[in-house]
């Protein structure tokens, strides 16, 4: 029975670790997406950093990526830039690998 308990505990620790990595990677990806969007909007320096933080916070509105994409799309529209949800989703998903690599490297 101890063997089963040890395996269960190991699985639970791995699951918790994986979930934490996913949360951190998603937050990092959203920040990278916000910095990318800020650049498209002509923001630099502290304005770009503040915008990236706003994109990260937007992710807490609802589950999934729709809230992040919606925020950036609306900001683009307000600035006279055109980008549809599919284009923004493509950029967003492309940044996940970069976010994971940065976390692995400790950046």
């Amino acid at each position: 029975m101890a063997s089963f308990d040890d395996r269960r505990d190991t699985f639970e620790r791995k699951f918790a670790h994986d979930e934490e990595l996913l949360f951190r990677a998603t937050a990092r990806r959203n920040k990278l997406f916000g910095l990318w969007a800020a650049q498209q909007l002509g923001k630099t320096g502290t304005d770009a950093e503040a915008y990236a933080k706003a994109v990260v916070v937007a992710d807490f509105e609802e589950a999934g990526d729709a809230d992040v994409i919606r925020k950036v799309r609306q900001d683009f529209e307000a600035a006279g830039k055109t980008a549809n949800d599919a284009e923004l989703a493509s950029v967003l998903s492309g940044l996940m690998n970069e976010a994971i690599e940065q976390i692995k490297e400790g950046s």
Side-chain angles (χ1 to χ4, degrees), residues 39-53:
Q39 182 181 25
Q40 306 305 308
L41 295 168
K43 298 177 185 292
T44 58
T46 56
D47 287 340
E49 286 292 327
Y51 184 78
K53 286 179 185 177

Side-chain angles (χ1 to χ4, degrees), residues 74-95:
Q74 289 172 345
D75 293 344
F76 273 28
E77 289 171 357
K81 305 262 183 201
T82 56
N84 65 41
D85 287 356
E87 293 168 331
L88 295 174
S90 176
V91 172
L92 186 63
S93 72
L95 291 170

Side-chain angles (χ1 to χ4, degrees), residues 94-107:
L95 291 170
M96 184 56 110
N97 288 337
E98 184 177 342
I100 291 170
E101 286 304 313
Q102 286 182 6
I103 290 171
K104 285 181 179 178
E105 293 171 359
S107 305

